[in-house]
Amino acid sequence: MKAAVLESFGSQLVIENMPEPVLGTGEVIVDVVATRVLSYMNEVFSGERNYALDLPVIPGPGGIGRVRAIGPDATRLAIGDWVFCDPTVRSRDAAVAPDIALQGLTAAGAGGMLLQKHFRHGSFAEQMRVPTENVKRLGAITTEEASRWCALGTLLVPYGGFLAAKLQPGETVLVSGATGNFGSAAVSVALAMGAACVVAPGRNNRVLADLVRRFGERVKPVKLTGNENDDRESMKRAAGGPIDCVFDIMPPSVSTTVVRAAIMAVRPYGRVVLMGGVGMAGGAGLELPYPWIMRNCITIHGVWMYPPDAASRLIALVRAGLLRLDEYEVTAFDLDHANDAVAHAATNAGPFKLTVIRP
Ligand SMILES: NC(=O)c1ccc[n+]([C@@H]2O[C@H](COP(=O)([O-])OP(=O)(O)OC[C@H]3O[C@@H](n4cnc5c(N)ncnc54)[C@H](OP(=O)(O)O)[C@@H]3O)[C@@H](O)[C@H]2O)c1
């Protein structure tokens, strides 16, 4: 089968013929129809992000495809089903605190690296082998629609954060990083889950105005100045009442003072979700005051990805019309142009942009 292979960090992807994946029990083989390219894939491939990838590897975190072969233990899947492949691979022998590898992207710790040795290859290929439990049925879609359904991979990340924080309809949310790729997805997911108000801070007035244009009055834009205390007061004012939940998804380049300005806008007894890459490249710590956390009974959730049942629940939100995939502007490349897709994704990051490869 044709695949894009990363041979070494800092090199271009090589498009070549690779052996087809071989099915084992507890696994599914999927014909990949569309897979999204993260805006920072270039930083993963250059080695700048220090993501743990055992090379050579076919990269690509999950995607949309059709079931080609199923193992003997699959009870619901059928050949030909349209599916979303969730890249969040969890060890099956540690139910309480499973190791995690993101298929075709990275892994955490020695256990994650062990998982990655088996489920190593990702979706920049004509076929991929996926753990059965990571294959989520979509129902009927057209081949054309497969590209837009790749947005699930982005939307699922903030959905995981809001599930962890038990977001309730009618609550007020602050999305720190609202003008980014994952942050804008967080705005749309919070609204789909019934948030009454989403405070959206950012530095770019045009992007903030676009969020209001898309989603209406429930979005409250806040222009950031870079002054921690002033910005926090502006965010509180914009909310017009207590902020129940602060969700942060800033990239590694952002300083902790920007994040802290948002976090400490949360109300007493509020919840904070940390999902960004802040600190992954080093730099100062978050330095949240111990007495502030304690006296205000603040709950802080660190969240990597989302629980195993999240994808099916999010698919239901899309099917119900509560979450719209047509917000996304898609640019598609074929596998032969995988390097162009990676470059395009890097220069076309930002809200509701989606770069996909269609193998
Ligand atoms: N936990 C997880 O499971 C998970 C999953 C996927 C990704 N992530 C992480 O999420 C991160 C964010 O990804 P992304 O693709 O959404 O990033 P992105 O599109 O690059 O987001 C940029 C955001 O950061 C803001 N920003 C940048 N520099 C700033 C500064 N100096 N002050 C204030 N705001 C600043 C931008 O605001 P402006 O509009 O004002 O520039 C924008 O809102 C990734 O880097 C990754 O580490 C985590």
Side-chain angles (χ1 to χ4, degrees):
M1 66 164 184
K2 195 190 276 188
V5 181
L6 183 69
E7 312 265 7
S8 62
F9 289 112
S11 65
Q12 292 274 292
L13 297 170
V14 179
I15 316 304
E16 58 185 303
N17 259 321
M18 293 285 284
E20 292 190 357
V22 177
L23 183 72
T25 301
E27 298 171 358
V28 173
I29 308 282
V30 172
D31 286 319
V32 182
V33 176
T35 171
R36 93 192 194 288
V37 183
L38 294 166
S39 63
Y40 48 88
M41 267 315 207
N42 58 338
E43 295 175 11
V44 176
F45 297 163
S46 71
E48 190 185 327
R49 282 237 169 187
N50 285 322
Y51 275 22
L53 264 178
D54 191 23
L55 303 182
V57 73
I58 301 171
I64 304 294
R66 301 194 81 161
V67 172
R68 181 185 183 89
I70 46 180
D73 54 343
T75 61
R76 307 282 176 96
L77 287 169
I79 310 290
D81 279 351
W82 279 101
V83 291
F84 166 70
C85 301
D86 179 355
T88 322
V89 178
R90 293 180 171 83
S91 54
R92 294 155 166 167
D93 51 355
V96 174
D99 290 305
I100 292 183
L102 301 188
Q103 197 169 3
L105 188 64
T106 189
M113 290 307 284
L114 260 181
L115 267 182
Q116 194 190 79
K117 283 216 173 306
H118 185 61
F119 291 108
R120 57 185 296 101
H121 292 310
S123 50
F124 289 9
E126 289 175 326
Q127 296 175 34
M128 71 185 297
R129 183 183 56 184
V130 187
T132 307
E133 65 274 23
N134 287 50
V135 178
K136 317 292 183 181
R137 284 182 300 165
L138 289 176
I141 65 167
T142 65
T143 305
E144 190 56 35
E145 288 167 343
S147 296
R148 194 152 272 147
W149 276 93
C150 287
L152 278 184
T154 303
L155 294 159
L156 269 165
V157 169
Y159 187 52
F162 292 131
L163 287 179
K166 299 190 169 59
L167 179 64
Q168 300 296 312
E171 287 196 315
T172 292
V173 175
L174 188 161
V175 175
S176 165
T179 50
N181 190 249
F182 283 95
S184 55
V187 172
S188 64
V189 169
L191 293 171
M193 292 172 77
C197 167
V198 178
V199 180
R203 296 169 302 173
N204 185 322
N205 275 332
R206 186 187 53 78
V207 181
L208 291 173
D210 187 59
L211 285 175
V212 178
R213 180 191 63 78
R214 285 173 191 271
F215 300 111
E217 298 281 293
R218 283 195 287 162
V219 176
K220 307 290 180 198
V222 175
K223 177 87 160 74
L224 292 177
T225 63
N227 177 297
E228 184 180 338
N229 290 327
D230 291 352
D231 286 342
R232 184 176 307 124
E233 288 314 309
S234 308
M235 292 186 249
K236 285 182 172 177
R237 253 196 322 276
I243 297 171
D244 302 293
C245 176
V246 170
F247 172 91
D248 178 84
I249 191 137
M250 289 287 198
S253 58
V254 173
S255 86
T256 47
T257 53
V258 176
V259 180
R260 193 170 53 223
I263 291 177
M264 293 182 69
V266 80
R267 67 163 165 80
Y269 300 89
R271 296 97 74 203
V272 174
V273 182
L274 302 182
M275 292 198 82
V278 176
M280 295 284 278
L286 197 49
E287 289 174 22
L288 289 173
Y290 190 123
W292 174 79
I293 300 172
M294 183 274 287
R295 282 288 169 87
N296 291 297
C297 304
I298 302 297
T299 304
I300 299 175
H301 299 269
V303 185
W304 194 23
M305 303 301 272
Y306 38 83
D309 62 344
S312 304
R313 295 182 190 282
L314 196 73
I315 290 164
L317 284 183
V318 175
R319 288 293 186 196
L322 291 162
L323 190 59
R324 295 169 53 137
L325 300 180
D326 58 9
E327 295 290 349
Y328 282 87
E329 180 191 323
V330 182
T331 309
F333 293 80
D334 62 20
L335 204 43
D336 288 325
H337 293 90
N339 289 301
D340 296 335
V342 172
H344 182 273
T347 49
N348 291 274
F352 305 108
K353 298 272 179 60
L354 190 57
T355 304
V356 303
I357 294 174
R358 293 183 61 106

